Amino acid sequence: MAVEASAPGKAILFGEHSVVYKGPAIVLAIDRRARVVVEEREDDCLYFDALDLGFSGFFVGDQYVPERGESWRGERLKALQVAAKTTMEHIGVKSGLNFIVRSEIPIAAGLGSSAAICVATVAAVGELLGGGLPLETVCELAYEGERVVHGTPSGVDNNISTYGGILRYERAKGHERLNLENTPPFVIGNTRRKRSTRRLVSRVGRLRERNPEIVNQLIDTMANISEEGLTALKEGELRCLGDLMNINHGILASLGVSISKLDLLVHASRMAGAFGAKLTGAGGGGCMIAVSEEKNFENIAKSIRRCRGVPHIINVTYDGVMTRRVE
Amino acid sequence: MAVEASAPGKAILFGEHSVVYKGPAIVLAIDRRARVVVEEREDDCLYFDALDLGFSGFFVGDQYVPERGESWRGERLKALQVAAKTTMEHIGVKSGLNFIVRSEIPIAAGLGSSAAICVATVAAVGELLGGGLPLETVCELAYEGERVVHGTPSGVDNNISTYGGILRYERAKGHERLNLENTPPFVIGNTRRKRSTRRLVSRVGRLRERNPEIVNQLIDTMANISEEGLTALKEGELRCLGDLMNINHGILASLGVSISKLDLLVHASRMAGAFGAKLTGAGGGGCMIAVSEEKNFENIAKSIRRCRGVPHIINVTYDGVMTRRVE
């Protein structure tokens, strides 16, 4: 018997970087999922087939033994090993396990691929060995795995992957899940440049140390944009949403987290008819997100492709983590 | 006998757009000049040879008669005709005049070409027919010509072209001329896309009407950047100046006045070693300006060229309008 669990990726609509200091981030679960299939094996090892990500290998205890792909890639699997181990400790069962990891979410692109895989891993192990875990527990245990990769992540990614939907996250107030009747689809453009969230967050931190007053003002403004953006999203005011996304992109650029390719895709999307476009996630590469009338989607996607980006048309999904037993 | 007058162009270092609402603009006179040679002619006409700008023609009264170039280009000459006429009225002399207009300042690029030509025209006519005018008068009469082209200009351009040097301009407080011992050279990159200041200013105005709180916050931040940028310039803190220019560019982009080509040149300059770079002037085309150690200038200029921009290495000039009699 095996269990398959899947969990969605995410796109940040507003509040990347500012959320570290002040105000909310508005985060969307997107209809691109990571899937993990798990089954017991006879020895004590954890075996991961993550060929979508380009590697596979064993954990013998905490030691990574690569099968395919370079050994440093084991670092990526470390989060999954920790998530699986912590889940087994939580349940009080110990077993060797085979994992098959597949993902539709581009990796290192700011779309929450690693959290989605972690969440799916915890849910799959919890279902297989413990007969299912409450969502709250899945979310917490996945956070433990995420900590291995991201230091002290905000907790946004594991939350959105667990619960799906739309999340308003604020450091001081925690998570609030929003239920909106209609959310528009968005166009995402992937620059295919990988980047490290941690490095970009510390880059903004250093700029803020050098220019405290000005950077704090910009953070205040971004906090306002998040609030107004949420209102525009709730009211379906796409033109207004676009205005706010455009403004937000400029501010993120002023903090030094945009790159030429992101600016290029953002401009191209606007020229192709988007109401607005901005980078999404930490910047430095990764993706941009555009809002538009649907009739312009094909045009925008074409423009993104012409600039050598990869377009995705995405919808908000209210399906958080899901598990099912497979024979 | 003829008179030649020349006046410098300008580059805005900080405060474009924000100066319309709040805080100072910091403006540099640059060592690129417009030159006007004027002599009397026997009839009542004003003849302009402005072949550097691509046209020549007569004013018979207020009526433009093109000689070379399309007749709509006469609009450009209208400012010079008004400046010359107003100057003659001021002096109380009336004469036909031949003008030769030459300029090293790229036109419609935000570098103050039209004000420099206006100032030089007034000074030349004043010297030829009135034996010289006080700078204050030159500045005021040139403003009359400028009004024809720019509606109600801020008065920055005619001021900087008349007096040279560095100007701190604030709507509420007027002009303050600064004397700094050392100012660094800058690299300017021209996108070769012409734009209209008036249209861009009204674009920002509309964005502000739609998003008053957020845009006002950004304007506040830009006002702060101008003040801090002036301090950095005074203290020769080029790295700090660069930081502030980078931040300012992002905010201008957030107001919707950058274009892809400007962003491209800005990124290219930074990658080539600039401490910072931003668009200069109203945006929508025109130029960007970068600060750097001089050893990187050649590299930055190359990068700008590679992106099909035109680089200029410019110095601040304290030589305002100058006139001399020529045989």
Side-chain angles (χ1 to χ4, degrees):
Chain A
M1 213 266 306
V3 167
E4 183 191 86
S6 72
K10 66 113 207 310
I12 300 180
L13 191 57
F14 292 107
E16 46 275 273
H17 289 291
S18 56
V19 72
V20 175
Y21 304 98
K22 190 181 169 179
I26 312 301
V27 188
L28 316 172
I30 63 174
D31 57 354
R32 295 291 186 282
R33 303 179 76 83
R35 281 166 219 284
V36 171
V37 176
V38 64
E39 60 179 10
E40 290 188 79
R41 54 182 282 146
E42 285 175 9
D43 60 16
D44 276 354
C45 293
L46 299 182
Y47 169 74
F48 290 92
D49 159 357
L51 291 177
D52 262 21
L53 313 179
F55 47 94
S56 61
F58 295 85
F59 279 93
V60 183
D62 287 342
Q63 181 66 40
Y64 181 61
V65 183
E67 184 188 57
R68 290 200 206 180
E70 304 90 332
S71 64
W72 60 264
R73 292 185 182 266
E75 275 308 300
R76 291 258 176 78
L77 287 181
K78 191 75 193 161
L80 304 192
Q81 185 237 348
V82 171
K85 223 173 78 175
T86 314
T87 305
M88 288 193 279
E89 281 163 16
H90 177 83
I91 303 169
V93 177
K94 200 167 185 290
S95 171
L97 296 168
N98 283 324
F99 291 88
I100 301 170
V101 179
R102 296 289 180 267
S103 180
E104 305 155 3
I105 311 162
I107 59 168
L111 299 180
S113 141
S114 78
I117 297 173
C118 248
V119 165
T121 298
V122 169
V125 173
E127 178 70 26
L128 183 74
L129 302 179
L133 296 171
L135 289 181
E136 214 182 316
T137 309
V138 171
C139 191
E140 277 168 24
L141 294 172
Y143 186 81
E144 293 308 307
E146 277 282 277
R147 283 215 306 186
V148 176
V149 183
H150 290 306
T152 313
S154 65
V156 167
D157 286 18
N158 51 307
N159 256 282
I160 195 83
S161 281
T162 303
Y163 295 101
I166 299 172
L167 209 68
R168 180 194 193 281
Y169 170 73
E170 196 169 347
R171 278 220 163 169
K173 299 183 188 167
H175 306 88
E176 181 192 349
R177 208 174 162 230
L178 305 166
N179 241 307
L180 303 188
E181 278 205 2
N182 279 305
T183 48
F186 293 90
V187 183
I188 278 182
N190 188 351
T191 62
R192 296 183 298 168
R193 306 269 168 88
K194 295 181 181 165
R195 85 278 110 71
S196 143
T197 300
R198 206 192 291 201
R199 202 176 311 155
L200 287 151
V201 168
S202 84
R203 185 178 183 160
V204 173
R206 288 197 305 277
L207 186 72
R208 181 164 168 266
E209 274 166 29
R210 297 199 300 274
N211 306 278
E213 196 185 339
I214 287 164
V215 172
N216 283 336
Q217 276 182 304
L218 292 174
I219 288 166
D220 283 351
T221 306
M222 285 197 280
N224 273 353
I225 290 173
S226 290
E227 300 285 11
E228 293 197 14
L230 181 57
T231 306
L233 184 67
K234 281 176 179 170
E235 293 173 356
E237 293 284 355
L238 300 193
R239 218 174 266 274
C240 174
L241 195 65
D243 255 5
L244 294 165
M245 287 167 71
N246 286 338
I247 296 174
N248 199 341
H249 179 75
I251 301 178
L252 287 163
S254 79
L255 298 181
V257 300
S258 191
I259 59 168
S260 200
K261 186 78 177 276
L262 278 168
D263 287 351
L264 191 67
L265 298 188
V266 160
H267 280 293
S269 303
R270 291 175 192 158
M271 295 293 282
F275 291 134
K278 64 181 276 293
L279 69 84
T280 177
C287 296
M288 46 69 65
I289 183 167
V291 65
S292 160
E293 292 175 292
E294 292 192 42
K295 65 173 185 182
N296 292 326
F297 274 16
E298 198 37 57
N299 220 0
I300 295 170
K302 243 188 233 165
S303 292
I304 289 171
R305 243 179 255 119
R306 209 176 295 126
C307 300
R308 291 158 181 250
V310 180
H312 303 267
I313 291 163
I314 56 113
N315 284 280
V316 172
T317 178
Y318 282 88
D319 294 331
V321 65
M322 298 194 293
T323 55
R324 65 184 183 103
R325 294 180 167 256
V326 289
E327 294 315 307
Chain B
M1 210 268 305
V3 166
E4 182 192 88
S6 73
K10 67 113 207 305
I12 300 180
L13 192 56
F14 293 106
E16 47 274 271
H17 289 289
S18 56
V19 73
V20 174
Y21 304 96
K22 190 181 171 180
I26 311 302
V27 189
L28 316 170
I30 62 175
D31 57 353
R32 296 289 186 285
R33 303 180 76 83
R35 281 166 219 285
V36 171
V37 177
V38 65
E39 59 179 11
E40 290 187 80
R41 55 182 282 147
E42 285 176 8
D43 58 17
D44 275 353
C45 294
L46 299 182
Y47 169 74
F48 290 93
D49 159 357
L51 291 178
D52 262 21
L53 313 180
F55 47 93
S56 62
F58 294 86
F59 280 92
V60 183
D62 287 341
Q63 181 66 39
Y64 180 61
V65 183
E67 185 188 56
R68 291 202 205 180
E70 303 89 333
S71 64
W72 59 265
R73 292 185 183 268
E75 276 306 301
R76 291 258 174 78
L77 287 180
K78 191 73 194 162
L80 304 192
Q81 184 237 352
V82 171
K85 225 174 76 175
T86 314
T87 305
M88 288 192 279
E89 280 163 17
H90 177 85
I91 302 167
V93 178
K94 200 166 187 292
S95 171
L97 296 167
N98 283 325
F99 290 89
I100 302 171
V101 178
R102 295 290 181 263
S103 179
E104 306 154 2
I105 310 164
I107 60 166
L111 298 180
S113 142
S114 78
I117 297 171
C118 246
V119 165
T121 298
V122 170
V125 173
E127 178 71 26
L128 182 75
L129 302 178
L133 296 170
L135 289 182
E136 212 181 317
T137 309
V138 171
C139 190
E140 277 167 24
L141 295 172
Y143 185 81
E144 293 307 309
E146 276 281 277
R147 283 216 303 185
V148 176
V149 183
H150 290 306
T152 314
S154 64
V156 167
D157 287 19
N158 52 309
N159 256 282
I160 195 83
S161 281
T162 304
Y163 295 102
I166 299 172
L167 208 68
R168 180 193 193 283
Y169 169 73
E170 195 169 346
R171 278 220 160 167
K173 299 183 186 168
H175 305 90
E176 182 192 348
R177 207 173 163 233
L178 305 166
N179 241 306
L180 304 187
E181 279 208 356
N182 279 305
T183 47
F186 292 89
V187 183
I188 277 181
N190 188 350
T191 62
R192 297 182 298 169
R193 305 270 169 88
K194 294 179 183 166
R195 86 278 109 73
S196 143
T197 300
R198 206 191 291 198
R199 201 175 314 155
L200 287 152
V201 167
S202 84
R203 184 179 182 158
V204 172
R206 287 197 306 276
L207 186 71
R208 181 164 168 265
E209 274 165 29
R210 296 199 299 274
N211 307 275
E213 196 185 340
I214 286 164
V215 172
N216 283 336
Q217 275 183 306
L218 292 173
I219 288 165
D220 283 350
T221 306
M222 285 198 280
N224 272 353
I225 290 173
S226 290
E227 300 285 11
E228 292 196 14
L230 181 56
T231 306
L233 185 67
K234 281 177 178 167
E235 292 173 356
E237 294 283 356
L238 300 194
R239 217 174 268 274
C240 173
L241 195 64
D243 255 3
L244 294 165
M245 288 167 72
N246 286 338
I247 295 174
N248 199 342
H249 179 74
I251 301 178
L252 288 163
S254 79
L255 298 181
V257 300
S258 191
I259 59 167
S260 200
K261 186 80 179 273
L262 278 168
D263 287 350
L264 191 68
L265 298 187
V266 160
H267 280 294
S269 302
R270 292 175 191 158
M271 294 293 282
F275 291 135
K278 65 183 275 292
L279 68 85
T280 177
C287 296
M288 45 70 62
I289 183 167
V291 65
S292 160
E293 292 175 293
E294 292 191 42
K295 64 172 186 183
N296 292 328
F297 274 17
E298 200 36 58
N299 219 359
I300 295 169
K302 244 188 236 166
S303 291
I304 289 172
R305 244 179 253 116
R306 209 173 298 128
C307 300
R308 293 158 178 248
V310 181
H312 303 268
I313 290 162
I314 56 111
N315 285 279
V316 172
T317 178
Y318 282 88
D319 294 332
V321 65
M322 299 193 294
T323 55
R324 66 188 182 98
R325 295 181 165 256
V326 290
E327 296 314 310

